[in-house]
Each structure stands twice: as structure tokens, then as C-alpha cells.
Amino acid sequence: MLTFSQLASITHGSVLQFVQDLPVRHLLTDSRKLAQPTSTLFFAIKGAFNDGHDYVNALYARGVRQFVVEQVDEIPGVKSEEGFKYSFPGANFLQVESSLAALQAIAAYHRGEFLLPVMAITGSNGKTIVKEWLAQLLSPDEKVVKSPRSYNSQIGVPLSVWQINANHTFGIFEAGISKPEEMEKLAAIIRPTLGIFTNIGTAHDEGFQNSVHKIEEKLLLFKGVKLLFYSSDDALLDAAVKRQEIKSFTWGHQEDADLQILSQQVSGAKTNVVYKYAGKEAQISIPFIDPASVQNMLHCLAVLVWREMEPEIMQQRFDKLLPVAMRLEMKEAINNCYLIDDTYNNDLAGLSTALDLLVHQKRNQQKTVILSDLLESGLNEETLYAEVAAALKNRSVDRLIGIGKVIGRHRLKFGMKAEFYESTTDFLQHFQPDSFHDETILLKGARIFEFEKIVAVFGKKVHGTVLEVNLNALVHNLNFYRSKLQPETKIMVMVKAFAYGSGSYEIANILQFHRVDYLAVAYTDEGVSLRESGISLPIMVMNPSPDSFAQLLRYHLEPEIYSLSQLRSFLTYIHADAAPAYHIHLKLDTGMHRLGFTQADFEELFSLLQTEPRVKVASMFSHLAGADEALHNDFSKQQISGFRNMASEIEAKIGYSVIKHILNSAGIVRFPEHQLDMVRLGIGLYGVEATGTEQDALQNVGTLKTTISQIKHIQQGDTVGYSRRGLAETDLEIATLAIGYADGFDRRFGNGAGEVLINGQAAPIIGNICMDMCMVNVTGLQVSEGDEVVVFGQELPITKLAEKIKTIPYELLTNVSPRVKRVFYSE
């Protein structure tokens, strides 16, 4: 086992302080994910938005005693090497040039201690799915260690490789890059003996000269592998592999492929594939029909054929495959519970990731984990469940429900309220809904335990229309706008109008997790709801009414004050209150002419503020009327100049500086020189870039989906829907969808103005949109009742939908009804 005393020679670092030689069992790069303090080594890595050195003090207080740092003076409160003796008397410190490089070097050293075969997977798409499926297919024969989720980055790969232990017989790790000179570092860590190149696409094109350059960079992963598996149908990839003379095993439709695909035919929910290998023909049935899944399965087929697995055995294993759970979902459940569904990521690393999310859900104090036997750890039972118990304890989990014979054998390790069942069936037979109230419940189980049955009994009864909210994309967009800010510029995020329709609490919670400075809501009750759900960030209320002042003060909300009469009302209300200080935000009108103080109000404004010294102005702000259009640039600059002058006059009069902000999402992009003290991020967070110049840099956050309720054939001359507005000019096949204007699907999309996507195929609306339903023309399309329908999302952008009915994305987002279930997920 690696110990601290070995690290200096591995990383070429220098020991700043050595107290005792401790074992290194856990590598930590994110302070929020601490699980086992005493055997953890923390790497203080400097990122674009966070510096790991800032968290050394907090981690030491929580029991961490081993640190890798870059600069002593980067640690708050430590100015010299001597300072360690006083600040961290019990900790070991190693100083390196790069903490990230040290992490990679330690992982590479660890990899070198094991001789097992390792499969490395790269490509533009499908890496995670191929990895997960291949692990499932090989698991009856091998003890497989694999990357958790999509851990394929410069940090993710070393953390993945660190999982290897003596019990493993086969490794599968994915590797992804976004620019040149990254892959060689990952190759040195993984040291693959085998490889899969899934495909080449447009992801991260901006980091490379062209597709050939990107392929060549990715192929650096496979220098020295015994065999590389790929599709020779991809001409660019095939040519690059041959140029580099990498030994390969190819599959494709051409005769020269090692595994020749003779035919692919869809039959129901399966694809029948006839292939030829070593002069013999055979057939396999793949349990998927979409092209991406079939391609991913053919990569797996190539590996199994090369391993000389019998076709009958392959078919048995293919039949048991299920779609990979690529995301961790969060949704409302019965009895005011909140469900975190991470059902099929059943390994120790995946458990830690899910527990981290559980800890940061503040909606309910009670935390419950429903956990099956862990089948993919590679550890012996005693070690595994001791680590599981410690992970639950360190996350302050209140209750454990263990399902499976193995976890039940170790029940004495869990020092908390716990109950155990031998199977999912056993649990469901004893399930009592009333025993679950006001708690957050994490479900995590191996596939054989069929935890989807447990998800079903916890789920609230709703119709088939859902708004899926991608939290990873939301964080990406937040960081995109942060990258345009000066380090000292604060950021306020608008979560008004149910977070633009996405769900206020969940969005606010992740923003709090990622340390934004302020939240803004439209009305007091929105702020109250966030406070009651555990949100502690400062919250500005934009439209406070006098009858809500009591709630404002009770829940420590900060009102926007925009008029003299409103200020008088507020001052009158607080006159009898005993609080030492009240924070307010002054809205200034610089040309929007909606709300706000004008220059003519200043004399009385100053007089009123002087009457109550307990009132402190937290910020001053104004609103740009046309920041999203270059046409209005001169007017926007005039507004900014006017705001600066007004703010300066107010600060001079009140005698102190306050936070000043005027830029909205569009303004952040268009006027970076006017960031002032803070900016306000709104629609941009949700993936809509109002100026249009940076839209490609943002990711889609919300996807509105529904289902097909019924399919029917109608004859020429028949009409569809109310007022008989949909006329069938020929015989048609139509589908009725479970969404209508009560769900927020605008009636203006009716009669062909709008369309939806079904299995990637466009289907126009026919007839008027009804309250709870609408009809679409699916003539000639391969669709079935129950199929998923995309109303808007990545493939059908909300910006284009808005253009069709001459409105704006804001309206479509905020119109999504509260009755539509929100499902939040992270990849």
C-alpha cells in the first residue's frame, strides 16, 4: 500500500512537513466529496473558478492529514513554511510544481503495480455506453474495474485508475480530450493493452485544426497496444490507423473488415445482425434499434468475437443488456419526499458521487439510502461494507435500507437506523408508504435487483409529460458566463418565475452549491419557499408588496426598492422592529421606464434614507432595455453612463460604497468593460444566448417531453380537433400526444405552425391544440403508442420554436405549467 513517504520520489516534489507516515487509500480533488478523512490525500488544484488551496483549512478541521500543494502562500492564513507548524500541527504536506501533474503521476505509479489487461476507450461519442455494456458482457468471466460514470478527463482518468486492486482481472477506462497534448498524459496513466475507438464527430472541434488532426491526437492513446478495435467504415479513422501502423481488429460492411457485417434488419424492438468472421457466418440479435446503440453494440460484438465467445453465450448476455443509466435523476415522490434515482451505477465510486448529491439536498433534513448488494467493487466483503458504512456515516445518513443477502450479513457494521431485506420482492411486500415522510431518498442498486420497481412505488402519479432539466448543462452555462467576468465581479442569478420554468429550488440549490453570490426572485413567497427548502444565499426580492414585509424580515430577504412611496411604506413598517440592520436594493431608471428612481427623486430619497440609519443599501442597479441587439448599443452605453453617474451621486450622499450592477446575460457578452461590481445572469443560464453571438458555447438545459397516447388512421376529407380546423387532404395516420395548452404548449403552434420530434422525425401539429392533448401527423413515420416525443430540446431548439410564433424563448419556458413534472438529472 502506498504511503506518504513514497510520494516525493513519485511526484518529484518536496516534503514541507512530515508528521507520520500515513497510508494513502483515497485521492481527493473536491473538498465537498470527502468520505474517509484519515486515509485521504488532498490535491490542491487550481481551476478556472476554484483554487483547492482555499479549502485546506476546512479539510484539516474535518480530519484530513495529507495534502499536496503548489504554493504555501496560497493557503489562507499561512505565509511561510514555518506557518504549517502552527496551523496544521498534525498534517503531512508535499509541495509540487503542479498538483494535477502529481495526481496523474501517483495514479500512473499505481497502475504500474498491476499487470492486468486494460481496455482504453476514446472517441467523440459512445465512450461511456460502450464501457458500461462491455463491462456487463465480460463480468461473468472477469473481475472488471471501470471508470465511474464519465470520468474521462485529466482529473477523472487518474481517479478511475486509482480504483484498481489485486482482485481485478480486467480494466476498462475511457479517455476524452478537448485539445492537443492531453492524450499522451492519459495514455501514461492508463497504459492500455487494448483499445476501442468509437467514432469521430464534432465534439470539441474548436480545439483542433480539423478532423484528421483530432483523430491523430486521440490515437496517441493506443501507442503500443496489442490490438485496437474500430469500424473500418469510417474512412478517415481507418486511414489514420493504417498510417500509424497500429495493430487492429476492424468491423464494418466491407469485405476486408475482420468482422464483416453482412446485414442489419430491425425486427420489433431488436436489430438482427448477420456477420461473418474467419470464414463463418453467424447471427446475433441486438436489443436496440436506434443507430447509435447498434453501432455501440457492434464495438462490443467485435471484442467478444475476438475473444472467441460462443454465439449462444453472446446472445444470452446481449439479451440481458439494458440501456445504460447515463444520468442521476432527482424528482418529487410520495408524502413530500424527494427521490434521487441512481439505480444502476452500482460501484463504490458511484455510491460516493450519489451520496455527495444527497448531502447537498437541503429540501428535507431526513436522509435515507436504499442500497442493494454492491457487485462490482473488486473488494472482499469485509473491506467493502466497512467502507460503505464509513461513507454513509461521514455523510450523516439517517437511515439505511439494505437489500440483498450480502449486505444483510454485514448489518452490524452500520451504526444507524437500518432495516434489511433479502430481495426487492421482500422489500415491496413489506413496503408501507406512510413510513416515508419529508425525506430525501437515494436509491442505488445492481440491475439484478430491479430497483425500477421501487422507483415506481415512490413515484407521484403524473401524466406522461415531463420537463427534463440537465444540471450539468446548467453548470456549464454558469461557468461560461463566469469565464467572461473579472475575478472580483460578483454574480447574481435570476430564479424568478419558477427559475424560468425549470424549478426554483433545484436550480437555487445547485447555484448555492457552486457559490454564486446572490439570487433574485420576483415575489416574496418565492423567496420564502427557497428559505424553507434550505437555501441560505442572499436573496433579492424584485416586487415586494407592503403586505409581504413581515415575511421579508422573518426570512431575511432583501427587497428591491424602486419608488418613494414604496420606501416610505417600508420605513414605516420597520420603525417598530428591533433588527439592527435592513438591506435594501435601489432600482434606478436609466431609460427602461418600467420601475426605478429618477434624478428627480434623489432629494427626497436621501432625506428618507437619513431618517432610518439601520437601512443599508446593499446594491444599486438598473436594467438595460436593448442589450441583446447591436442596434441599441449606443442607447445601452448611454444607460450605463447615466447609471454610473447616478450611483456615484448616491454613494457620495449616503457615505459608503455599495454593489453596483447593470449587465444582464446579453450585457455580459456585449459590454464586458462595464461589469462593475456584479452582473445579473438570467436566460443565459438556461441555454439561451440572447445576442446570438455565443449560442454555440451554451448547452441546452431544458427538454420538454411527452408521449404518444394513441395512433389512428383517418380518411381524406376527415377533420381533426376542435372547430374542425385540421383537414385531412389525403389519408393520414395521426398520433394524439399527452400535452396541451394547460401544460404550456402554446395554441399558436396549432394547425401546422409547430412540430415535434418522434424518434428524431419531425411531425407537424394538425388541428387546434386542446387543453390536455394535441394531434400530430405521423404519416410515413415509424412510431408506436407510448413512444417518447420531444416538444423542445437540443434537437428542436426553443429559440427556433419561439421564432415560429413570433415570441421569445422566455415566454415558452415560463409557460411550462407547474403540473408538468420536473425531472432533474446530472450525467
Side-chain angles (χ1 to χ4, degrees):
M1 179 178 292
L2 197 64
T3 62
F4 186 85
S5 61
Q6 298 172 266
L7 300 183
S9 61
I10 295 171
T11 63
H12 304 293
S14 58
V15 176
L16 295 178
Q17 180 166 293
F18 183 82
V19 177
Q20 58 179 321
D21 203 16
L22 297 170
V24 177
R25 294 193 180 93
H26 305 279
L27 307 183
L28 182 68
T29 61
D30 187 334
S31 64
R32 296 164 299 191
K33 298 181 179 181
L34 177 63
Q36 312 280 354
T38 55
S39 55
T40 287
L41 175 65
F42 177 69
F43 296 82
I45 296 174
K46 293 183 179 179
F49 307 106
N50 275 304
D51 185 342
H53 296 81
D54 294 340
Y55 304 97
V56 170
N57 286 287
L59 287 170
Y60 182 80
R62 294 172 63 188
V64 177
R65 293 297 179 263
Q66 302 181 89
F67 297 90
V68 175
V69 299
E70 294 177 5
Q71 293 176 287
V72 172
D73 56 6
E74 295 287 340
I75 302 172
V78 179
K79 300 301 181 184
S80 66
E81 294 184 18
E82 284 296 314
F84 284 108
K85 297 179 181 178
Y86 301 101
S87 299
F88 313 104
N92 299 329
F93 278 85
L94 178 72
Q95 186 174 25
V96 296
E97 184 175 338
S98 165
S99 294
L100 175 58
L103 169 68
Q104 294 173 340
I106 291 169
Y109 174 87
H110 180 74
R111 166 69 180 94
E113 296 292 289
F114 303 93
L115 299 177
L116 76 168
V118 167
M119 174 78 76
I121 303 176
T122 194
S124 297
N125 305 104
K127 297 185 292 293
T128 302
I129 293 175
V130 171
K131 174 202 68 185
E132 294 291 338
W133 279 342
L134 196 56
Q136 289 181 50
L137 292 165
L138 296 179
S139 59
D141 309 317
E142 307 279 6
K143 295 291 186 182
V144 178
V145 56
K146 59 183 174 66
S147 309
R149 294 192 176 275
S150 299
Y151 274 40
N152 58 37
S153 65
Q154 298 292 307
I155 291 177
V157 167
L159 295 178
S160 299
V161 168
W162 182 254
Q163 297 176 106
I164 301 173
N165 63 49
N167 295 312
H168 294 125
T169 62
F170 197 90
I172 310 176
F173 302 108
E174 55 178 296
I177 60 173
S178 57
K179 59 185 179 181
E181 301 181 6
E182 289 185 331
M183 191 58 89
E184 287 180 297
K185 297 176 183 177
L186 301 185
I189 300 168
I190 298 174
R191 301 187 195 184
T193 58
L194 299 167
I196 295 177
F197 200 127
T198 59
N199 53 43
I200 195 70
T202 58
H204 302 299
D205 269 357
E206 66 278 4
F208 303 92
Q209 299 169 12
N210 49 47
S211 293
V212 173
H213 181 215
K214 184 161 62 172
I215 290 171
E216 290 173 344
E217 287 290 330
K218 288 178 179 286
L219 283 175
L220 293 175
L221 179 62
F222 304 117
K223 278 187 175 180
V225 296
K226 295 178 181 178
L227 211 59
L228 171 63
F229 296 85
Y230 70 97
S231 173
S232 55
D233 290 345
D234 189 326
L236 285 179
L237 176 57
D238 189 46
V241 173
K242 289 175 178 175
R243 280 196 305 273
Q244 296 193 23
E245 299 181 346
I246 300 173
K247 189 175 180 182
S248 61
F249 184 101
T250 63
W251 66 266
H253 295 80
Q254 307 301 317
E255 290 186 6
D256 59 351
D258 294 304
L259 175 67
Q260 185 184 2
I261 307 302
L262 299 176
S263 69
Q264 296 172 218
Q265 187 173 3
V266 174
S267 176
K270 295 186 177 182
T271 302
N272 296 321
V273 177
V274 178
Y275 64 89
K276 185 177 181 180
Y277 174 66
K280 296 181 180 180
E281 289 188 15
Q283 180 173 320
I284 196 82
S285 180
I286 294 174
F288 304 99
I289 62 173
D290 63 287
S293 294
V294 171
Q295 183 186 59
N296 292 332
M297 286 298 306
L298 291 177
H299 287 302
C300 298
L301 176 65
V303 175
L304 300 186
V305 167
W306 171 75
R307 284 172 63 102
E308 300 183 346
M309 185 178 291
E310 293 294 329
E312 296 79 11
I313 302 298
M314 281 196 290
Q315 188 62 66
Q316 291 173 11
R317 296 186 185 181
F318 276 28
D319 288 343
K320 294 179 180 178
L321 282 179
L322 294 172
V324 174
M326 290 290 290
R327 63 196 206 184
L328 187 155
E329 292 188 348
M330 294 152 282
K331 45 202 169 189
E332 293 181 346
I334 59 173
N335 302 332
N336 199 36
C337 291
Y338 197 64
L339 199 65
I340 301 178
D341 181 5
D342 193 30
T343 305
Y344 294 136
N345 284 289
N346 185 243
D347 53 45
L348 200 54
L351 175 62
S352 293
T353 301
L355 286 172
D356 293 332
L357 183 62
L358 175 67
V359 167
H360 290 94
Q361 294 300 313
K362 307 298 184 185
R363 182 190 293 258
N364 297 314
Q365 294 300 314
Q366 176 82 9
K367 310 295 183 189
T368 297
V369 173
I370 302 178
L371 179 68
S372 80
D373 292 344
L374 271 70
L375 305 179
E376 303 169 7
S377 72
L379 300 174
N380 63 61
E381 284 183 27
E382 288 293 330
T383 303
L384 172 62
Y385 289 100
E387 291 208 12
V388 171
L392 298 179
K393 179 182 178 182
N394 289 327
R395 272 40 170 249
S396 300
V397 171
D398 300 290
R399 173 166 61 153
L400 168 68
I401 297 174
I403 298 180
K405 295 180 179 179
V406 181
I407 193 172
R409 288 201 293 265
H410 299 274
R411 63 183 65 209
L412 296 180
K413 289 184 171 67
F414 299 95
M416 63 185 67
K417 183 180 179 181
E419 52 198 84
F420 296 88
Y421 302 89
E422 288 197 355
S423 66
T424 299
T425 300
D426 185 21
F427 168 75
L428 292 174
Q429 288 175 345
H430 292 85
F431 178 71
Q432 296 181 343
D434 287 343
S435 64
F436 297 89
H437 276 276
D438 304 302
E439 55 196 286
T440 302
I441 304 165
L442 168 64
L443 277 82
K444 196 159 186 60
R447 288 181 180 273
I448 62 171
F449 286 90
E450 300 178 305
F451 267 24
E452 66 272 13
K453 296 178 180 178
I454 299 179
V455 174
V457 299
F458 275 109
K460 294 180 72 174
K461 301 298 181 184
V462 294
H463 63 69
T465 301
V466 298
L467 179 66
E468 296 183 344
V469 181
N470 185 336
L471 297 180
N472 296 86
L474 185 136
V475 172
H476 168 89
N477 296 341
L478 172 65
N479 288 337
F480 165 76
Y481 283 100
R482 270 182 164 162
S483 71
K484 295 185 172 296
L485 303 180
Q486 297 299 320
E488 65 274 13
T489 304
K490 299 178 184 294
I491 188 165
M492 173 185 281
V493 179
M494 317 304 288
V495 291
K496 61 180 181 176
F498 202 45
Y500 291 72
S502 298
S504 302
Y505 163 71
E506 290 80 4
I507 301 300
N509 192 48
I510 200 164
L511 293 172
Q512 180 167 278
F513 187 80
H514 286 275
R515 299 181 176 88
V516 303
D517 300 285
Y518 256 97
L519 299 177
V521 297
Y523 298 102
T524 302
D525 57 354
E526 294 177 307
V528 170
S529 178
L530 292 179
R531 284 282 186 258
E532 290 179 338
S533 296
I535 301 301
S536 58
L537 284 173
I539 298 175
M540 181 178 78
V541 178
M542 303 183 74
N543 291 287
S545 58
D547 61 2
S548 72
F549 288 162
Q551 294 287 77
L552 275 173
L553 302 185
R554 178 183 174 189
Y555 287 94
H556 305 289
L557 304 172
E558 302 174 10
E560 168 190 321
I561 301 296
Y562 51 78
S563 71
L564 294 172
S565 61
Q566 186 194 35
L567 179 58
R568 290 190 204 98
S569 296
F570 184 69
L571 293 175
T572 299
Y573 183 84
I574 68 170
H575 184 69
D577 196 83
Y582 304 89
H583 287 167
I584 64 172
H585 300 258
L586 297 182
K587 175 73 172 286
L588 308 181
D589 183 2
T590 58
M592 180 79 167
H593 298 323
R594 187 171 61 181
L595 296 173
F597 292 99
T598 65
Q599 196 83 34
D601 299 318
F602 276 15
E603 183 176 350
E604 187 171 354
L605 170 64
F606 300 147
S607 176
L608 288 170
L609 289 176
Q610 289 172 355
T611 65
E612 182 50 84
R614 292 181 298 165
V615 171
K616 301 296 180 184
V617 179
S619 86
M620 291 181 285
F621 68 103
S622 190
H623 199 100
L624 297 177
D628 53 344
E629 295 182 90
L631 170 69
H632 303 300
N633 277 4
D634 288 343
F635 185 74
S636 295
K637 291 176 181 177
Q638 178 183 321
Q639 282 192 274
I640 294 169
S641 176
F643 173 71
R644 284 178 177 272
N645 292 334
M646 294 172 77
S648 295
E649 184 177 347
I650 293 172
E651 284 184 326
K653 196 68 176 179
I654 63 178
Y656 56 88
S657 297
V658 302
I659 297 170
K660 296 170 286 295
H661 48 109
I662 192 170
L663 297 187
N664 55 7
S665 298
I668 294 171
V669 173
R670 202 178 285 284
F671 305 109
E673 70 275 19
H674 296 296
Q675 293 174 11
L676 304 180
D677 304 302
M678 186 160 69
V679 297
R680 299 188 305 276
L681 180 57
I683 193 71
L685 182 72
Y686 307 95
V688 179
E689 207 288 286
T691 72
T693 60
E694 302 278 3
Q695 185 62 55
D696 290 344
L698 299 181
Q699 294 182 4
N700 179 70
V701 171
T703 300
L704 182 60
K705 293 181 177 180
T706 189
T707 56
I708 295 178
S709 300
Q710 186 180 26
I711 294 174
K712 61 177 61 177
H713 297 271
I714 63 172
Q715 296 180 348
Q716 180 180 3
D718 286 350
T719 59
V720 178
Y722 285 119
S723 302
R724 304 186 67 196
R725 293 294 299 275
L727 175 64
E729 297 180 353
T730 62
D731 291 352
L732 297 179
E733 185 177 36
I734 65 170
T736 300
L737 311 183
I739 187 172
Y741 59 78
D743 302 297
F745 194 34
D746 200 298
R747 292 186 76 247
R748 288 173 289 178
F749 286 123
N751 302 299
E755 63 183 21
V756 298
L757 289 183
I758 308 175
N759 300 329
Q761 307 163 102
I765 308 295
I766 182 170
N768 282 337
I769 291 174
C770 310
M771 181 180 289
D772 309 300
M773 290 169 279
C774 66
M775 285 67 75
V776 295
N777 185 350
V778 294
T779 306
L781 306 183
Q782 296 297 314
V783 301
S784 304
E785 292 179 358
D787 278 358
E788 184 177 84
V789 179
V790 175
V791 180
F792 63 70
Q794 181 67 37
E795 295 80 21
L796 194 57
I798 196 168
T799 50
K800 293 185 178 180
L801 290 186
E803 290 171 3
K804 288 189 175 185
I805 58 172
K806 295 181 173 56
T807 186
I808 55 177
Y810 299 75
E811 181 179 4
L812 299 186
L813 281 172
T814 56
N815 277 357
V816 178
S817 169
R819 83 174 187 173
V820 172
K821 181 179 180 181
R822 270 70 174 171
V823 174
F824 301 86
Y825 69 93
S826 58
E827 303 288 353

